[in-house]
Amino acid sequence: MTTATEPTAPALATLTTLRTGGPAGRYVEVGTADELVAVVRAADEAGEPLLVLGGGSNLVVADDGFPGVVVRDVRRAIAVDEADACGGASVTVAAGTPWGDVVDRAVAEGWVGVEALAGIPGSTGATPVQNVGAYGQEVSGVVATVRVWDRAESRHRVLALGELGFGYRTSVLKHSLRDPDGRPSRWAPSPRYVVLEVGFQLRLGTLSAPVGYGELARRLDVEIGARAPLADVRAAVLELRAAKGMVLDERDPDTWSAGSFFTNPVLPADVADALPAEAPRYPVRSARPERTTGPSLGEVDPTLVKTSAAWLIDRAGFGKGFGLPGPVSLSTKHSLALTNRGQGTTADLLTLARTVRDGVRETFGVELEPEPVLVGVRL
């Protein structure tokens, strides 16, 4: 049995893809779900601030660090519960498992539904929190259950798909980070529900789910709605992401980011109407209790429109590479990624983020919302 270990507390800059952030007050690595629960429970009972860390790809941590306990789940496990032509593949994945491992295994085994989510960094446990999505797929399309430790009730729970409240880049898990008034909840910067395992239900096949994203369809040379070999879709997505600096590369500072820093705004239709005619507009589909842009979660809602944060940023005067030669800048490959060029601090990054956010608001009247979890800082 693996025992939780407490190495010397590192600077969180060494554990996050942005490479910023000061030291942890205490750092623990856990190798079993029971150890993870024990550390979380002890911290909560002691009133100690808690940060549950996966791949560190969606965090912006204060330069002063984090004064509480940082617990990192280092488990890697993908268990096939069942796989047959009728029921598909039922798969249970430990929360600490790198998400890329799940996509690679799915493509190799012929599990359909995550092939367009290749190249997304971070751990599997983080995927349902954010309802990660890309190139026409969202993880909500294949999640069946999420086993969690409920910090409020001090018990294990299994949340079914209908209880997870999936929406565009959100879920019940993420909602628990904030109180109804919008202020950080008592659980922040980790959710009330600590993810232990994620259960997926995937169709079996050699061809992808219908391709729902124009850029990907063009790269594959297929029509929207067509299917393509799983491996081809994965490869095409990795090529597209790499061209935008969205695949981690130790040699490329354009990839030293938290991915997309702002979410694509979902606007009331009348607000979207006020945008320039050339502004991108995408349908929003209704789901209960939330709204989502997922391709299979309800009917198109004519009262809402999604637009492109990258388009707004660029047209507000913040093009690729804005901020260079400073220590932080927009990526030279994609204006939606804020990058640390090697010597940047979190304070530098937030200054740039505020400049971009305020410029978009002044130009278009649209308020951009940050996608990463902010730890010890505010935008």
Side-chain angles (χ1 to χ4, degrees), residues 185-250:
S185 73
R186 66 186 175 113
W187 313 112
S190 294
R192 163 183 167 177
Y193 307 99
V194 175
V195 177
L196 306 177
E197 295 174 344
V198 184
F200 297 96
Q201 185 68 41
L202 305 108
R203 185 172 59 81
L204 298 184
T206 59
L207 297 180
S208 69
V211 176
Y213 197 82
E215 185 182 24
L216 178 58
R218 290 189 293 273
R219 177 58 64 99
L220 291 164
D221 195 23
V222 302
E223 298 293 325
I224 293 286
R227 301 176 189 271
L230 292 175
D232 291 357
V233 173
R234 175 186 173 276
V237 167
L238 288 174
E239 290 171 0
L240 289 169
R241 291 183 65 89
K244 299 173 183 178
M246 294 293 188
V247 177
L248 291 175
D249 183 343
E250 290 294 316

Side-chain angles (χ1 to χ4, degrees), residues 85-172:
C86 294
S90 297
V91 181
T92 301
V93 182
T97 306
W99 175 245
D101 291 1
V102 178
V103 176
D104 291 352
R105 178 78 179 273
V107 170
E109 298 280 354
W111 304 337
V112 179
V114 296
E115 56 280 353
L117 302 180
I120 295 175
S123 66
T124 300
T127 61
V129 179
Q130 283 286 111
N131 185 20
V132 299
Y135 296 101
Q137 286 184 349
E138 287 181 329
V139 75
S140 56
V142 292
V143 168
T145 59
V146 179
R147 188 166 75 88
V148 302
W149 173 254
D150 184 342
R151 298 166 67 191
E153 298 183 3
S154 292
R155 67 183 179 99
H156 290 87
R157 294 179 61 182
V158 176
L159 302 178
L161 176 61
E163 299 174 280
L164 288 164
F166 282 127
Y168 173 58
R169 300 298 176 269
T170 194
S171 67
V172 163

Side-chain angles (χ1 to χ4, degrees), residues 11 70 72 164 169 221 276 311 317 353 379:
V70 174
R72 188 180 184 199
L164 288 164
R169 300 298 176 269
D221 195 23
W311 188 94
L379 186 61

